[in-house]
Amino acid sequence: MMNVRAMLTRRVTIIHNHGSLLVKIAPRHDRKSLMLPALFATAWFIFISSIFIKPLLRGPWPDAGFYILVFAGLCMVACAAILLGLCWIFGREEIAVDNGVMRWMHQVWWWTSKTEFPNNEISKVEAVTPWHGFENRVEFVTNGHRYKIGSRLLRDEAVELAQALSDAIGTQRRTHPPAT
C-alpha cells in the first residue's frame, strides 16, 4: 500500500548561516513502495540466469562462449541496476556553499562521493519541474557538464533549492514553468 503522507513529506532542509549555505536532502520516505519492484527484478534476474546456466552445465565449454558473454553482460546490467536502485532509495545529499566553493556530497550507506566546484565556474542553476512532477530536480552547469541534484523532489522544494543555490552562488536562476 502506498503511503501518500510519506511521499509528500519535505526532504530538503536549507540553512543560511552568515553568508554560507547548507542544504541537506534526506533519503526518500517511500522506501517500502520501491522495495517490491526491486524484489521482482531480483526474481526475474534469477529466472533469466537459470536459463543461461543450464546450457553451460550440460554442453562443452567451447560451444558455450556465447552464453558466457550474454550472461556476463546480464550480470553487469543487473549490478548497475542494483547500484542505481540503492542510490535512489537510500541516498542522501549535502550541499555547502561558502568561501567561493560549492561542496557536494552524495552518500549511500558507507559509499561517499565528494565533489567541489568553484562558484565562478557554475554558469547556470535551474529547477527542472516537468508537468508530471515525477522527476523534479535541480540542475547546474559547470564547465559544459550538467549535474543533477535531488531526485524526485517536491516541486516547491526544487524551486526553493534552485533559488537558494543561485542566490548563494550568484548565478541567474531559471525555472521551467509547468506545461499547460
Side-chain angles (χ1 to χ4, degrees):
M1 189 162 116
M2 294 181 71
N3 187 352
V4 176
R5 183 176 179 196
M7 285 188 229
L8 297 177
T9 304
R10 290 186 60 86
R11 296 174 40 211
V12 176
T13 304
I14 300 173
I15 302 167
H16 298 276
N17 188 13
H18 303 292
S20 64
L21 174 74
L22 178 63
V23 177
K24 294 182 181 185
I25 302 175
R28 294 180 48 103
H29 298 291
D30 58 341
R31 293 180 197 163
K32 292 178 186 174
S33 66
L34 294 173
M35 291 302 235
L36 192 58
L39 291 176
F40 282 131
T42 304
W44 178 83
F45 176 70
I46 291 170
F47 172 72
I48 295 296
S49 297
S50 68
I51 292 173
F52 284 104
I53 290 175
K54 286 178 185 177
L56 291 175
L57 296 177
R58 66 182 143 103
W61 280 92
D63 294 337
F66 173 73
Y67 289 105
I68 292 172
L69 288 175
V70 172
F71 184 67
L74 185 64
C75 287
M76 289 190 322
V77 168
C79 289
I82 288 170
L83 288 175
L84 183 64
L86 287 175
C87 289
W88 230 25
I89 296 171
F90 298 106
R92 68 179 184 89
E93 297 176 82
E94 286 187 15
I95 301 119
V97 179
D98 61 343
N99 298 328
V101 176
M102 182 175 102
R103 292 173 186 83
W104 180 26
M105 190 261 311
H106 187 85
Q107 183 175 11
V108 179
W109 288 337
W110 63 87
W111 179 75
T112 302
S113 170
K114 295 180 181 178
T115 312
E116 291 187 0
F117 304 100
N119 288 354
N120 58 1
E121 292 181 4
I122 299 174
S123 59
K124 180 170 54 169
V125 176
E126 61 184 352
V128 179
T129 56
W131 65 271
H132 49 75
F134 190 64
E135 271 299 317
N136 294 332
R137 64 191 177 276
V138 175
E139 295 183 353
F140 66 94
V141 178
T142 177
N143 293 332
H145 297 287
R146 182 175 293 269
Y147 296 93
K148 299 175 184 177
I149 299 174
S151 175
R152 294 186 176 185
L153 298 173
L154 298 175
R155 184 181 190 284
D156 63 332
E157 288 178 328
V159 171
E160 184 180 352
L161 177 57
Q163 177 66 45
L165 281 175
S166 63
D167 289 347
I169 293 169
T171 61
Q172 184 66 20
R173 179 182 67 94
R174 202 175 90 202
T175 304
H176 291 299
T180 54

